[in-house]
Amino acid sequence: MKHFPRSLKTLAAALLLGAALTGASAMTYAQTADPTAAVSMVREWDKIFPKSDKVTHRKVSFKNRYGITLVGDLYLPKNRAGGKLPAIAVSGPFGAVKEQSSGLYAQTLAERGFVTLAFDGSYTGESGGQPRNMPSPDINTEDFSAAVDYLGLLPEVNRERIGILGICGWGGFALNAAISDTRVKAVATSTMYDITRVAAKGYNDSTDAEARYKMKQEINEARWKAAKNGYADLLPPNNLTAEQITAETPKFIADYSNFYTTKRGFHPRAVNSNPAGSWATTGMLSMINMPILQYAAELRAPALVVHGEQAHSRYFSEDAFKALGSKNKELYIVPNASHVDLYDNQAGKIPFDKFEQFFQANLK
C-alpha cells in the first residue's frame, strides 16, 4: 500500500469527514408524524444498471430492531426449482443507495440462483430515520441483521442458508454483523473500508491523538447550531464536480467523482451524489469513538474478502483479513482494479464468479 503525502491525506480526510464545518449547508428540519417511516418506495425502475429478464424484482420494506423502516429491492431467480433457496443481503457503498452498486451485485447474484436483497441503510435513501444522513456503527450493523430477519421469514428462503455481502464501508459493517449474528452462514466484502478506522485515524492511520481531539472539538462545536435545527445540518458535498478536478487531484478522489457525480453512477437519493450536502455535521462522532471489528478474531463464519490490486483502500481488507478468526477465509485481490472499479462492471472487473462460488460452497 503506497503512502500518501501529507497534503493528500489532509485533503482526503477533509473530503471524507467534511472537516471544514464552517459553511456547512443546512437542510430544513421538518419532523414527520413518524420519523421511523420509509421516506419513499419508488416503484418504477430507477437503477443505474439495466433490469434483468432473468429475475423477478419487487420493492419491499421491513423494520430493524430500533423500529426504523428499511426499504429494499428483493430479487428472485425466475427459473428456480421447487424448494427453499439460499439468500444474500447486500448493502453499500457508504453513502450510496440500493439503486447503485448493491443493486447490481444483488441482481447479478439472483441471476445465479440466490434470493437477494439490496437495501438502504437507516437514515439514508428510501429508508426511514430522522434526521437524514446520520451514520451509526451500531445501527448500520443492526441493519444487516434486520435484513437477515426479513429474508429468513420469506417462504422462498432457507433460513439456514443466509449470507451477507458488504461493499466499501458496508463491507466493514457486514463483517461486524457476521461477528455478532451467528445466523450469518457466510460473509463477503468487496473493496472494503473500515469507516470507523478511517474516521478516527485518517487514511493510512495518519491522524494522531491531538489531531483527532481537534477534529472532535470542531464537530462538537457544530452541535450547538445543529441542535437548533434538529441535527439536520449537512456537511458540504462529499465529491468534487468535474470542474473542480485538477492535475493535483488524487486519482481516487477523481474516481469517486467520476462515479457519483456523472451519469455513470449518479443517483439523486445517494449521499455521495448529493450536490447540496452530504452526511450530517454530527454524524462522524460515533464513527470516531466506537470502532467496529473489535472481536474480528471471534468470527466463525466463512469469509471472502475481495479488493482491487490498485485500490488506495486495499490495506483495510488486508488488515481485516489478518484479524478474522474464521478457519475458512480467503483474501482475493483483483488484478489491476482500483477501488471504484468494483462499484460497477464498467471495467468488467467485479469477480462475480468468485462470489457465486463462495456462496454456493458455504450456503449449503
Side-chain angles (χ1 to χ4, degrees):
M1 182 66 201
K2 71 183 278 190
H3 293 280
F4 300 120
R6 178 170 295 276
S7 60
L8 190 158
K9 295 175 188 172
T10 303
L11 171 63
L15 285 167
L16 179 70
L17 301 173
L21 294 175
T22 56
S25 58
M27 190 170 68
T28 301
Y29 180 67
Q31 185 72 25
T32 64
D34 181 2
T36 67
V39 172
S40 63
M41 287 189 70
V42 175
R43 301 294 177 178
E44 63 268 19
W45 190 263
D46 62 348
K47 325 299 185 194
I48 68 168
F49 51 91
K51 189 174 184 178
S52 171
D53 60 4
K54 298 178 182 178
V55 305
T56 299
H57 161 265
R58 67 176 184 258
K59 188 65 69 73
V60 301
S61 66
F62 53 98
K63 287 183 180 290
N64 68 14
R65 191 162 49 89
Y66 296 101
I68 298 171
T69 299
L70 304 182
V71 178
D73 287 297
L74 185 70
Y75 299 89
L76 297 97
K78 279 187 177 178
N79 298 323
R80 57 185 187 272
K84 295 178 180 288
L85 297 176
I88 307 166
V90 190
S91 198
F94 187 69
V97 288
K98 63 191 179 303
E99 289 75 20
Q100 297 168 313
S101 305
S102 60
L104 172 65
Y105 276 69
Q107 179 176 261
T108 305
L109 289 169
E111 291 177 332
R112 296 169 181 234
F114 302 92
V115 175
T116 61
L117 172 67
F119 64 92
D120 290 332
S122 296
Y123 305 97
T124 64
E126 294 190 287
S127 291
Q130 290 197 32
R132 302 303 293 166
N133 301 2
M134 188 70 74
S136 165
D138 182 21
I139 296 175
N140 294 148
T141 297
E142 157 62 19
D143 289 341
F144 260 121
S145 287
V148 171
D149 293 338
Y150 176 79
L151 287 170
L153 294 174
L154 292 176
E156 301 91 344
V157 170
N158 182 337
R159 68 170 60 174
E160 299 302 320
R161 303 172 67 192
I162 299 177
I164 59 179
L165 192 162
I167 306 162
C168 185
W170 281 79
F173 297 138
L175 290 176
N176 207 44
I179 293 165
S180 66
D181 193 334
T182 56
R183 301 170 303 166
V184 174
K185 303 305 181 185
V187 56
T189 66
S190 183
T191 200
M192 188 206 111
Y193 259 60
D194 177 346
I195 292 295
T196 61
R197 177 178 175 181
V198 75
K201 299 181 179 181
Y203 284 102
N204 298 296
D205 300 340
S206 58
T207 300
D208 61 17
E210 183 61 27
R212 188 159 47 251
Y213 183 79
K214 290 179 180 178
M215 181 167 57
K216 288 186 288 187
Q217 278 185 312
E218 289 181 343
I219 297 173
N220 281 298
E221 284 301 314
R223 288 188 67 139
W224 297 118
K225 179 175 177 292
K228 294 179 181 179
N229 199 31
Y231 302 102
D233 290 0
L234 300 180
L235 292 166
N238 269 349
N239 288 295
L240 302 177
T241 61
E243 298 74 26
Q244 294 172 310
I245 296 173
T246 70
E248 300 300 314
T249 303
K251 182 182 181 301
F252 78 98
I253 297 297
D255 285 349
Y256 281 138
S257 174
N258 182 52
F259 182 79
Y260 285 111
T261 70
T262 70
K263 185 178 179 181
R264 174 185 171 190
F266 176 84
H267 198 280
R269 290 193 293 271
V271 174
N272 292 340
S273 293
N274 185 5
S278 59
W279 294 103
T281 56
T282 61
M284 289 299 161
L285 279 173
S286 59
M287 294 293 179
I288 293 169
N289 203 49
M290 300 176 188
I292 58 176
L293 306 182
Q294 294 304 293
Y295 293 95
E298 297 183 10
L299 178 66
R300 298 188 183 184
L304 172 65
V305 179
V306 173
H307 221 102
E309 180 184 28
Q310 304 301 327
H312 69 284
S313 51
R314 178 175 165 179
Y315 71 100
F316 289 118
S317 283
E318 292 175 331
D319 289 354
F321 176 77
K322 292 174 186 174
L324 296 178
S326 306
K327 293 181 179 179
N328 176 359
K329 65 178 182 177
E330 180 180 359
L331 175 65
Y332 183 78
I333 302 299
V334 181
N336 301 313
S338 70
H339 184 89
V340 174
D341 280 340
L342 303 187
Y343 277 13
D344 60 13
N345 224 13
Q346 178 174 279
K349 293 182 179 179
I350 299 177
F352 283 122
D353 289 346
K354 189 71 176 177
F355 286 112
E356 177 187 1
Q357 292 162 9
F358 169 75
F359 283 117
Q360 289 286 12
N362 293 290
L363 298 182
K364 59 184 182 180

